[in-house]
Every structure is written in structure tokens, then in C-alpha cells.
Amino acid sequence: MLKAENITFRYHRNQPYILENVSLRIADGEIVGLSGPSGRGKTTLAKILAGYLKPLSGTVTLDSMSLPSKGYNPIQLIFQHPELAINPRWRIRQVLGEVQSPKNDYLHRLSLDTAWLDRYPHELSGGELQRVAVARVLNENTRYFIADEMTAMLDAVTQAQIWDAVLEHARLHNMSILMISHDDALLEAICDRVVIV
């Protein structure tokens, strides 16, 4: 189980707390939605869960242990804008090959054209690049998948392709998902439960 307990955080000393004594638990294989108005700390919490930010107080544990500081993080976060998370100097083959073989089954499931493998990120559209970002983390080492408005900017067909692949992988590998979205209908369709902040 992934546990965040009594998380408190603010970016600057003179600013109000974005998160104050927030707790959240996600069991293996569970799909949890996180919804609420902008500015309530949803993305900040996602970054803390994935290890990008350190809380001022509180703990994040995975199976009652601290998150690993080295190696592949079993908690992977996918942002709305994939270009922020992909090295612009790497070809797509290298982006995928960093963690797994670029020949994995999800290239096909996500409609990734093999011709893209020798291109640079700026040569792909936003939807194409988001598929690459997702394919990169769909592997047996990812136990918790955090999707922060991951498909909000994409057309309905691309959204469906991405979520079909993610949910299939989650079922096969007992992967948990934390889905952050303002799309209540999508949350209700996909999630086991939805937390409102």
C-alpha cells in the first residue's frame, strides 16, 4: 500500500499552506480519482507522492517503507505536458530505451509508429509525445501510476487509446492508479473511488 500521512507543504515561508495534514492511502491494484478546484494542492500532492517534492511534515511510505532514493521509482507521474518530462536532446528510441525495450507491446497498443523512434521529441505532436511518455512507464517495475490531467489536452480518440492501454496494463500487473482530473465523468467511469479536495 502507498500511504501519505499528515502531509503539510507550502512553497514559501510567507505563503499559506497548500497542503495541511493531508492523508491518502492507495491499495495495490486500486484506481483512485482525485478531484477538486484548481489551487487545492492536487498536483503538489502528486509530486510529493512521486518523490519530486519533500513535505514539510508527514510521511510517504510504500509497503511501510520510505521511497527508494536510487534506481527506478515504482511510483511514476505523468504530467499534462509530456515535453516537460522528456529530454529534448534524446531521440525517442533512447527515451524509451532508458527503462525498457522500445519493442514492448505497448508501442502497438498506444499506436506508436516505429518511424517515430528515430525522431526527436519536438518532431512529434503533443498527443504522440504523450503516448511515448506513457509507453515509457508501462513496465513491470511501475507499481503506482499517477496521471495528472494526463489526457486533458488530447482528442477523444487519443484519450481512449491511452486509457485503454493503461487500464489493460493495470489489470495484468496489479498496478495502482491515482487519476487527477476535472473531468468528473471520466473519473466516475474509470475509478474505484473518487476523493474530493
Side-chain angles (χ1 to χ4, degrees), residues 3 16 35 40 66 92 103 107 109 135 161 170 176 179 184 189 197:
K3 294 181 183 179
S35 179
R40 290 287 182 90
S66 299
I92 299 304
K103 296 180 180 179
L107 297 187
R109 290 287 289 114
Q161 286 178 333
S176 302
M179 180 181 179
D184 292 337
V197 297

Side-chain angles (χ1 to χ4, degrees), residues 61-83:
T61 57
L62 180 58
D63 301 335
S64 300
M65 299 178 66
S66 299
L67 300 182
S69 58
K70 296 181 179 179
Y72 188 86
N73 189 344
I75 305 166
Q76 289 292 316
L77 171 58
I78 301 290
F79 295 100
Q80 182 175 341
H81 302 288
E83 65 276 6

Side-chain angles (χ1 to χ4, degrees), residues 24-159:
L24 178 69
R25 296 183 179 193
I26 307 172
D28 281 354
E30 188 177 25
I31 302 175
V32 177
L34 195 58
S35 179
S38 297
R40 290 287 182 90
K42 299 184 298 296
T43 293
T44 299
L45 179 60
K47 290 179 178 179
I48 290 172
L49 290 172
Y52 287 97
L53 295 174
K54 298 289 185 185
L56 296 177
S57 63
T59 60
V60 176
T61 57
L62 180 58
D63 301 335
S64 300
M65 299 178 66
S66 299
L67 300 182
S69 58
K70 296 181 179 179
Y72 188 86
N73 189 344
I75 305 166
Q76 289 292 316
L77 171 58
I78 301 290
F79 295 100
Q80 182 175 341
H81 302 288
E83 65 276 6
L84 301 178
I86 292 177
N87 191 329
R89 296 183 179 88
W90 286 4
R91 295 182 189 273
I92 299 304
R93 186 183 304 278
Q94 189 176 1
V95 170
L96 293 171
E98 184 182 21
V99 292
Q100 61 184 313
S101 167
K103 296 180 180 179
N104 77 76
D105 292 341
Y106 288 96
L107 297 187
H108 174 70
R109 290 287 289 114
L110 289 161
S111 299
L112 284 166
D113 191 326
T114 55
W116 300 352
L117 295 176
D118 292 314
R119 295 181 184 174
Y120 288 97
H122 72 270
E123 297 178 291
L124 301 183
S125 71
E128 292 166 348
L129 199 58
Q130 191 66 295
R131 294 180 207 180
V132 170
V134 172
R136 181 172 175 263
V137 302
L138 290 187
N139 63 73
E140 61 186 12
N141 296 314
T142 299
R143 289 182 53 194
Y144 289 82
F145 182 100
I146 303 175
D148 187 2
E149 294 284 1
M150 178 179 74
T151 58
M153 302 296 289
L154 306 179
D155 63 81
V157 172
T158 304
Q159 278 193 25

Side-chain angles (χ1 to χ4, degrees), residues 105-106 109-110 138 162-175 177:
D105 292 341
Y106 288 96
R109 290 287 289 114
L110 289 161
L138 290 187
I162 289 176
W163 278 113
D164 282 350
V166 169
L167 293 172
E168 179 187 57
H169 182 87
R171 286 191 296 269
L172 289 174
H173 299 278
N174 201 34
M175 182 182 75
I177 299 171

